[in-house]
Amino acid sequence: MGFDFRLLTEMGHEQVVFCSNPSVGLKAFIAIHNTSLGPALGGTRMYPYASEELALQDVLKLSKGMTYKSVACGLNFGGGKAVIIGDPKKDKSEKLFRTFGAFVDRLQGQFITGEDVGVDVNDIEFMFMETDYVVGLSKEHGGSGDPSFMTAYGLVQGLQACIEERLQRDSLEGLTVVIQGLGHVGMNLVKLLVQANAKVIACDVDAQRCELAKAKWGIELVKPSQIYEVPCDVFAPCAMGGSIHLKSLSTLECKIIAGSANNQLENETVHQLLKEKNILYAPDYVINAGGLINVALELEGYSERRARLLARNIYYNLKRVFEISKERKISPAEAADRLADERIHNLQQIQRSHFLDKSKIRRA
Ligand code: NAD
């Protein structure tokens, strides 16, 4: 079955580019969803998609999510994303990423990209040889480095809003937090929570990550298959998307779900069950925006202090989402979407530029 191109119009995308260069093994899509507030910003993912259709579906969904994430955290960027079809363990090469970088450059600042699953700072450095329209460069190249510490910092700001809302308390001390995934964000989150005297229980499919977390922070570990059964105050999905589904919710005993993974809720039916179980859900793209804030600031000359100030706003953004959710009797996820839609609608009239002029990039 072929791809249904009606999806492009239904999801509201402005432009989708297919990048092909068989001689270097490149097959990729760049999707620009919405540039009402500015040029599209979003990472590049490398994944061994089983078909072009699946890659296209993924890039459409991810790029739309980026529009909402940028808008919700107050950045003046649009939403975009790219996916490269390939196995990051086998198919990476300098020529592949430089060729992809040249494709990004052809868009002349309509799309700015950075790291995502399967793509690391070395790959970004190759792209940077062909285009200025990349972020997440190493500090040596005037970049902001790995953004995951800022994502974790933003998560903690958001968590503060969640505990005030659902638990009527203002301290993380003594809180039990279960973390699924001890990768870049998960590990930084463990550090911040342990420092705040919260109790952390976690898992990872990678035994080395578990050992590292235990050795460094002395946290309790469980098997990945048991993670949904651990009673806790907060469940933090920090691995892959889609981990909150009817099956996991049937055993989850938590009061709050707040984590970094994108697209945490498997589908719409999950919302009703969250409500029935009185679980407060922090919409993923609102609470995990710290990393995006960090890389966006690279374009104006990176300052960690300024990034922290902006990431601190995640607390206020979530407070507003919960307020709207109560006022309009809708779920927090719907409230976040409404808030973002309203900002896009209100600011569309300004008619901001869809391009980032190279001369305006001020890397440190
Ligand atoms: P990562 O790849 O460094 O870490 C993910 C970890 O999850 C890995 O250690 C992996 O072994 C583990 N994992 C995978 N499946 C698992 C499972 N079923 N059970 C337990 N552990 C499992 O990624 P990251 O950068 O830490 O990002 C984590 C999530 O947050 C991703 O979904 C990412 O898209 C999202 N996110 C990350 C950032 C960031 O700044 N890095 C920003 C926003 C959103």
mmCIF file of all heavy atoms in Angstrom, residues 70-106:
data_model
loop_
_atom_site.group_PDB
_atom_site.id
_atom_site.type_symbol
_atom_site.label_atom_id
_atom_site.label_comp_id
_atom_site.label_asym_id
_atom_site.label_seq_id
_atom_site.Cartn_x
_atom_site.Cartn_y
_atom_site.Cartn_z
ATOM 1 N N SER A 70 8.082 24.278 20.192
ATOM 2 C CA SER A 70 8.674 25.616 20.078
ATOM 3 C C SER A 70 7.707 26.690 20.565
ATOM 4 O O SER A 70 8.068 27.588 21.323
ATOM 5 C CB SER A 70 8.966 25.905 18.603
ATOM 6 O OG SER A 70 10.308 25.957 18.368
ATOM 7 N N VAL A 71 6.490 26.559 20.087
ATOM 8 C CA VAL A 71 5.466 27.552 20.425
ATOM 9 C C VAL A 71 5.181 27.529 21.931
ATOM 10 O O VAL A 71 5.097 28.570 22.574
ATOM 11 C CB VAL A 71 4.181 27.249 19.625
ATOM 12 C CG1 VAL A 71 3.007 28.005 20.173
ATOM 13 C CG2 VAL A 71 4.385 27.588 18.174
ATOM 14 N N ALA A 72 5.076 26.321 22.484
ATOM 15 C CA ALA A 72 4.700 26.203 23.902
ATOM 16 C C ALA A 72 5.773 26.756 24.827
ATOM 17 O O ALA A 72 5.472 27.217 25.923
ATOM 18 C CB ALA A 72 4.409 24.753 24.244
ATOM 19 N N CYS A 73 7.036 26.719 24.401
ATOM 20 C CA CYS A 73 8.063 27.212 25.329
ATOM 21 C C CYS A 73 8.478 28.639 24.977
ATOM 22 O O CYS A 73 9.445 29.152 25.527
ATOM 23 C CB CYS A 73 9.245 26.261 25.412
ATOM 24 S SG CYS A 73 10.246 26.200 23.949
ATOM 25 N N GLY A 74 7.740 29.270 24.081
ATOM 26 C CA GLY A 74 7.941 30.696 23.842
ATOM 27 C C GLY A 74 9.047 31.035 22.861
ATOM 28 O O GLY A 74 9.454 32.186 22.763
ATOM 29 N N LEU A 75 9.549 30.026 22.122
ATOM 30 C CA LEU A 75 10.595 30.326 21.142
ATOM 31 C C LEU A 75 9.951 30.802 19.847
ATOM 32 O O LEU A 75 8.853 30.383 19.508
ATOM 33 C CB LEU A 75 11.414 29.064 20.838
ATOM 34 C CG LEU A 75 12.329 28.543 21.932
ATOM 35 C CD1 LEU A 75 12.922 27.203 21.513
ATOM 36 C CD2 LEU A 75 13.453 29.533 22.247
ATOM 37 N N ASN A 76 10.652 31.658 19.120
ATOM 38 C CA ASN A 76 10.120 32.116 17.842
ATOM 39 C C ASN A 76 10.688 31.285 16.700
ATOM 40 O O ASN A 76 11.406 31.789 15.830
ATOM 41 C CB ASN A 76 10.419 33.600 17.650
ATOM 42 C CG ASN A 76 9.524 34.431 18.543
ATOM 43 O OD1 ASN A 76 8.322 34.192 18.617
ATOM 44 N ND2 ASN A 76 10.103 35.367 19.256
ATOM 45 N N PHE A 77 10.403 30.003 16.758
ATOM 46 C CA PHE A 77 10.803 29.095 15.685
ATOM 47 C C PHE A 77 9.595 28.289 15.256
ATOM 48 O O PHE A 77 8.645 28.108 16.024
ATOM 49 C CB PHE A 77 11.898 28.126 16.166
ATOM 50 C CG PHE A 77 13.256 28.761 16.228
ATOM 51 C CD1 PHE A 77 13.775 29.200 17.438
ATOM 52 C CD2 PHE A 77 14.006 28.949 15.071
ATOM 53 C CE1 PHE A 77 15.024 29.810 17.500
ATOM 54 C CE2 PHE A 77 15.248 29.552 15.125
ATOM 55 C CZ PHE A 77 15.764 29.983 16.341
ATOM 56 N N GLY A 78 9.676 27.788 14.042
ATOM 57 C CA GLY A 78 8.630 26.897 13.564
ATOM 58 C C GLY A 78 9.038 25.461 13.839
ATOM 59 O O GLY A 78 10.044 25.197 14.497
ATOM 60 N N GLY A 79 8.225 24.530 13.315
ATOM 61 C CA GLY A 79 8.503 23.123 13.577
ATOM 62 C C GLY A 79 8.976 22.389 12.340
ATOM 63 O O GLY A 79 8.399 22.518 11.263
ATOM 64 N N GLY A 80 10.054 21.641 12.488
ATOM 65 C CA GLY A 80 10.544 20.821 11.389
ATOM 66 C C GLY A 80 11.292 19.627 11.948
ATOM 67 O O GLY A 80 11.590 19.572 13.149
ATOM 68 N N LYS A 81 11.543 18.669 11.139
ATOM 69 C CA LYS A 81 12.299 17.492 11.561
ATOM 70 C C LYS A 81 12.825 16.802 10.313
ATOM 71 O O LYS A 81 12.253 16.956 9.232
ATOM 72 C CB LYS A 81 11.363 16.532 12.318
ATOM 73 C CG LYS A 81 12.068 15.555 13.220
ATOM 74 C CD LYS A 81 12.252 16.095 14.615
ATOM 75 C CE LYS A 81 12.917 15.104 15.527
ATOM 76 N NZ LYS A 81 13.010 15.604 16.900
ATOM 77 N N ALA A 82 13.889 16.025 10.477
ATOM 78 C CA ALA A 82 14.394 15.239 9.354
ATOM 79 C C ALA A 82 14.624 13.807 9.812
ATOM 80 O O ALA A 82 14.929 13.565 10.992
ATOM 81 C CB ALA A 82 15.699 15.840 8.843
ATOM 82 N N VAL A 83 14.446 12.872 8.903
ATOM 83 C CA VAL A 83 14.805 11.478 9.205
ATOM 84 C C VAL A 83 15.681 10.940 8.081
ATOM 85 O O VAL A 83 15.409 11.176 6.904
ATOM 86 C CB VAL A 83 13.568 10.550 9.400
ATOM 87 C CG1 VAL A 83 12.731 10.982 10.591
ATOM 88 C CG2 VAL A 83 12.696 10.466 8.162
ATOM 89 N N ILE A 84 16.747 10.268 8.481
ATOM 90 C CA ILE A 84 17.617 9.594 7.509
ATOM 91 C C ILE A 84 17.323 8.106 7.647
ATOM 92 O O ILE A 84 17.326 7.570 8.767
ATOM 93 C CB ILE A 84 19.111 9.865 7.822
ATOM 94 C CG1 ILE A 84 19.419 11.368 7.690
ATOM 95 C CG2 ILE A 84 20.016 9.048 6.915
ATOM 96 C CD1 ILE A 84 20.846 11.758 8.080
ATOM 97 N N ILE A 85 17.051 7.444 6.526
ATOM 98 C CA ILE A 85 16.747 6.010 6.591
ATOM 99 C C ILE A 85 18.075 5.250 6.612
ATOM 100 O O ILE A 85 18.860 5.320 5.660
ATOM 101 C CB ILE A 85 15.883 5.577 5.383
ATOM 102 C CG1 ILE A 85 14.592 6.417 5.349
ATOM 103 C CG2 ILE A 85 15.567 4.073 5.454
ATOM 104 C CD1 ILE A 85 13.709 6.172 4.146
ATOM 105 N N GLY A 86 18.342 4.569 7.716
ATOM 106 C CA GLY A 86 19.604 3.832 7.802
ATOM 107 C C GLY A 86 19.856 3.394 9.231
ATOM 108 O O GLY A 86 19.231 3.899 10.173
ATOM 109 N N ASP A 87 20.777 2.460 9.377
ATOM 110 C CA ASP A 87 21.103 1.940 10.696
ATOM 111 C C ASP A 87 22.288 2.730 11.265
ATOM 112 O O ASP A 87 23.391 2.666 10.700
ATOM 113 C CB ASP A 87 21.457 0.449 10.554
ATOM 114 C CG ASP A 87 21.706 -0.200 11.906
ATOM 115 O OD1 ASP A 87 21.940 0.536 12.893
ATOM 116 O OD2 ASP A 87 21.673 -1.440 11.984
ATOM 117 N N PRO A 88 22.068 3.475 12.368
ATOM 118 C CA PRO A 88 23.168 4.289 12.899
ATOM 119 C C PRO A 88 24.382 3.461 13.331
ATOM 120 O O PRO A 88 25.494 3.978 13.390
ATOM 121 C CB PRO A 88 22.539 5.010 14.100
ATOM 122 C CG PRO A 88 21.237 4.370 14.347
ATOM 123 C CD PRO A 88 20.831 3.598 13.131
ATOM 124 N N LYS A 89 24.181 2.175 13.570
ATOM 125 C CA LYS A 89 25.322 1.339 13.996
ATOM 126 C C LYS A 89 26.165 0.914 12.786
ATOM 127 O O LYS A 89 27.317 0.567 12.936
ATOM 128 C CB LYS A 89 24.811 0.094 14.723
ATOM 129 C CG LYS A 89 24.168 0.414 16.067
ATOM 130 C CD LYS A 89 24.225 -0.801 16.986
ATOM 131 C CE LYS A 89 23.704 -0.449 18.368
ATOM 132 N NZ LYS A 89 22.268 -0.652 18.489
ATOM 133 N N LYS A 90 25.578 0.919 11.579
ATOM 134 C CA LYS A 90 26.298 0.375 10.407
ATOM 135 C C LYS A 90 26.467 1.364 9.246
ATOM 136 O O LYS A 90 27.419 1.265 8.490
ATOM 137 C CB LYS A 90 25.520 -0.839 9.856
ATOM 138 C CG LYS A 90 25.464 -2.033 10.780
ATOM 139 C CD LYS A 90 25.064 -3.296 10.028
ATOM 140 C CE LYS A 90 23.729 -3.121 9.330
ATOM 141 N NZ LYS A 90 22.730 -4.113 9.574
ATOM 142 N N ASP A 91 25.516 2.268 9.101
ATOM 143 C CA ASP A 91 25.447 3.032 7.840
ATOM 144 C C ASP A 91 25.997 4.460 7.906
ATOM 145 O O ASP A 91 25.819 5.223 6.964
ATOM 146 C CB ASP A 91 23.981 3.081 7.355
ATOM 147 C CG ASP A 91 23.407 1.693 7.143
ATOM 148 O OD1 ASP A 91 24.197 0.786 6.805
ATOM 149 O OD2 ASP A 91 22.193 1.500 7.328
ATOM 150 N N LYS A 92 26.628 4.834 9.013
ATOM 151 C CA LYS A 92 27.106 6.219 9.117
ATOM 152 C C LYS A 92 28.407 6.416 8.343
ATOM 153 O O LYS A 92 29.257 5.526 8.331
ATOM 154 C CB LYS A 92 27.375 6.563 10.584
ATOM 155 C CG LYS A 92 26.122 6.834 11.379
ATOM 156 C CD LYS A 92 26.499 7.378 12.742
ATOM 157 C CE LYS A 92 25.261 7.740 13.520
ATOM 158 N NZ LYS A 92 25.582 8.380 14.796
ATOM 159 N N SER A 93 28.556 7.573 7.729
ATOM 160 C CA SER A 93 29.840 7.914 7.100
ATOM 161 C C SER A 93 29.925 9.421 6.964
ATOM 162 O O SER A 93 28.896 10.122 7.008
ATOM 163 C CB SER A 93 29.959 7.270 5.719
ATOM 164 O OG SER A 93 29.008 7.852 4.847
ATOM 165 N N GLU A 94 31.138 9.908 6.791
ATOM 166 C CA GLU A 94 31.334 11.349 6.610
ATOM 167 C C GLU A 94 30.564 11.833 5.385
ATOM 168 O O GLU A 94 29.853 12.835 5.422
ATOM 169 C CB GLU A 94 32.827 11.654 6.456
ATOM 170 C CG GLU A 94 33.080 13.119 6.144
ATOM 171 C CD GLU A 94 34.553 13.481 6.048
ATOM 172 O OE1 GLU A 94 35.413 12.646 6.396
ATOM 173 O OE2 GLU A 94 34.837 14.628 5.623
ATOM 174 N N LYS A 95 30.674 11.057 4.272
ATOM 175 C CA LYS A 95 30.031 11.535 3.031
ATOM 176 C C LYS A 95 28.513 11.556 3.164
ATOM 177 O O LYS A 95 27.849 12.423 2.603
ATOM 178 C CB LYS A 95 30.502 10.737 1.816
ATOM 179 C CG LYS A 95 30.230 9.264 1.854
ATOM 180 C CD LYS A 95 30.870 8.556 0.664
ATOM 181 C CE LYS A 95 30.573 7.059 0.816
ATOM 182 N NZ LYS A 95 31.141 6.246 -0.199
ATOM 183 N N LEU A 96 27.964 10.618 3.936
ATOM 184 C CA LEU A 96 26.502 10.607 4.110
ATOM 185 C C LEU A 96 26.035 11.888 4.804
ATOM 186 O O LEU A 96 25.118 12.575 4.338
ATOM 187 C CB LEU A 96 26.094 9.386 4.953
ATOM 188 C CG LEU A 96 24.597 9.278 5.203
ATOM 189 C CD1 LEU A 96 23.956 8.302 4.229
ATOM 190 C CD2 LEU A 96 24.295 8.838 6.616
ATOM 191 N N PHE A 97 26.704 12.229 5.907
ATOM 192 C CA PHE A 97 26.250 13.407 6.672
ATOM 193 C C PHE A 97 26.598 14.721 5.969
ATOM 194 O O PHE A 97 25.849 15.688 6.067
ATOM 195 C CB PHE A 97 26.793 13.356 8.112
ATOM 196 C CG PHE A 97 26.043 12.361 8.936
ATOM 197 C CD1 PHE A 97 26.572 11.120 9.230
ATOM 198 C CD2 PHE A 97 24.750 12.637 9.381
ATOM 199 C CE1 PHE A 97 25.850 10.181 9.955
ATOM 200 C CE2 PHE A 97 24.028 11.710 10.101
ATOM 201 C CZ PHE A 97 24.572 10.473 10.394
ATOM 202 N N ARG A 98 27.711 14.727 5.227
ATOM 203 C CA ARG A 98 28.031 15.960 4.496
ATOM 204 C C ARG A 98 27.047 16.158 3.344
ATOM 205 O O ARG A 98 26.619 17.277 3.072
ATOM 206 C CB ARG A 98 29.477 15.903 3.985
ATOM 207 C CG ARG A 98 30.446 16.039 5.154
ATOM 208 C CD ARG A 98 31.872 16.114 4.717
ATOM 209 N NE ARG A 98 32.157 17.363 4.018
ATOM 210 C CZ ARG A 98 33.385 17.789 3.762
ATOM 211 N NH1 ARG A 98 34.421 17.073 4.165
ATOM 212 N NH2 ARG A 98 33.590 18.914 3.120
ATOM 213 N N THR A 99 26.653 15.056 2.713
ATOM 214 C CA THR A 99 25.664 15.172 1.624
ATOM 215 C C THR A 99 24.337 15.655 2.200
ATOM 216 O O THR A 99 23.671 16.535 1.633
ATOM 217 C CB THR A 99 25.467 13.794 0.927
ATOM 218 O OG1 THR A 99 26.740 13.298 0.562
ATOM 219 C CG2 THR A 99 24.575 13.914 -0.287
ATOM 220 N N PHE A 100 23.970 15.092 3.355
ATOM 221 C CA PHE A 100 22.719 15.531 3.969
ATOM 222 C C PHE A 100 22.815 17.012 4.361
ATOM 223 O O PHE A 100 21.880 17.790 4.148
ATOM 224 C CB PHE A 100 22.378 14.658 5.185
ATOM 225 C CG PHE A 100 21.102 15.086 5.832
ATOM 226 C CD1 PHE A 100 19.885 14.885 5.198
ATOM 227 C CD2 PHE A 100 21.106 15.747 7.058
ATOM 228 C CE1 PHE A 100 18.694 15.334 5.759
ATOM 229 C CE2 PHE A 100 19.927 16.191 7.624
ATOM 230 C CZ PHE A 100 18.718 15.974 6.980
ATOM 231 N N GLY A 101 23.983 17.395 4.892
ATOM 232 C CA GLY A 101 24.200 18.808 5.264
ATOM 233 C C GLY A 101 24.005 19.724 4.063
ATOM 234 O O GLY A 101 23.419 20.815 4.172
ATOM 235 N N ALA A 102 24.464 19.267 2.888
ATOM 236 C CA ALA A 102 24.309 20.087 1.668
ATOM 237 C C ALA A 102 22.823 20.239 1.315
ATOM 238 O O ALA A 102 22.400 21.299 0.845
ATOM 239 C CB ALA A 102 25.079 19.450 0.520
ATOM 240 N N PHE A 103 22.041 19.188 1.560
ATOM 241 C CA PHE A 103 20.592 19.309 1.321
ATOM 242 C C PHE A 103 19.967 20.342 2.270
ATOM 243 O O PHE A 103 19.123 21.132 1.875
ATOM 244 C CB PHE A 103 19.900 17.950 1.521
ATOM 245 C CG PHE A 103 19.861 17.101 0.286
ATOM 246 C CD1 PHE A 103 20.706 16.008 0.143
ATOM 247 C CD2 PHE A 103 18.982 17.392 -0.746
ATOM 248 C CE1 PHE A 103 20.685 15.225 -0.996
ATOM 249 C CE2 PHE A 103 18.938 16.610 -1.896
ATOM 250 C CZ PHE A 103 19.797 15.518 -2.026
ATOM 251 N N VAL A 104 20.399 20.298 3.527
ATOM 252 C CA VAL A 104 19.878 21.267 4.509
ATOM 253 C C VAL A 104 20.240 22.686 4.046
ATOM 254 O O VAL A 104 19.426 23.607 4.107
ATOM 255 C CB VAL A 104 20.446 20.984 5.925
ATOM 256 C CG1 VAL A 104 20.076 22.089 6.907
ATOM 257 C CG2 VAL A 104 19.959 19.634 6.443
ATOM 258 N N ASP A 105 21.466 22.834 3.535
ATOM 259 C CA ASP A 105 21.919 24.159 3.108
ATOM 260 C C ASP A 105 21.072 24.704 1.953
ATOM 261 O O ASP A 105 20.817 25.907 1.880
ATOM 262 C CB ASP A 105 23.397 24.093 2.687
ATOM 263 C CG ASP A 105 24.041 25.459 2.798
ATOM 264 O OD1 ASP A 105 24.024 26.014 3.921
ATOM 265 O OD2 ASP A 105 24.511 25.987 1.787
ATOM 266 N N ARG A 106 20.624 23.796 1.076
ATOM 267 C CA ARG A 106 19.815 24.245 -0.069
ATOM 268 C C ARG A 106 18.516 24.906 0.365
ATOM 269 O O ARG A 106 17.906 25.649 -0.383
ATOM 270 C CB ARG A 106 19.447 23.049 -0.941
ATOM 271 C CG ARG A 106 20.577 22.569 -1.794
ATOM 272 C CD ARG A 106 19.995 21.604 -2.815
ATOM 273 N NE ARG A 106 20.971 20.592 -3.139
ATOM 274 C CZ ARG A 106 20.703 19.531 -3.888
ATOM 275 N NH1 ARG A 106 19.497 19.345 -4.361
ATOM 276 N NH2 ARG A 106 21.637 18.651 -4.162
#
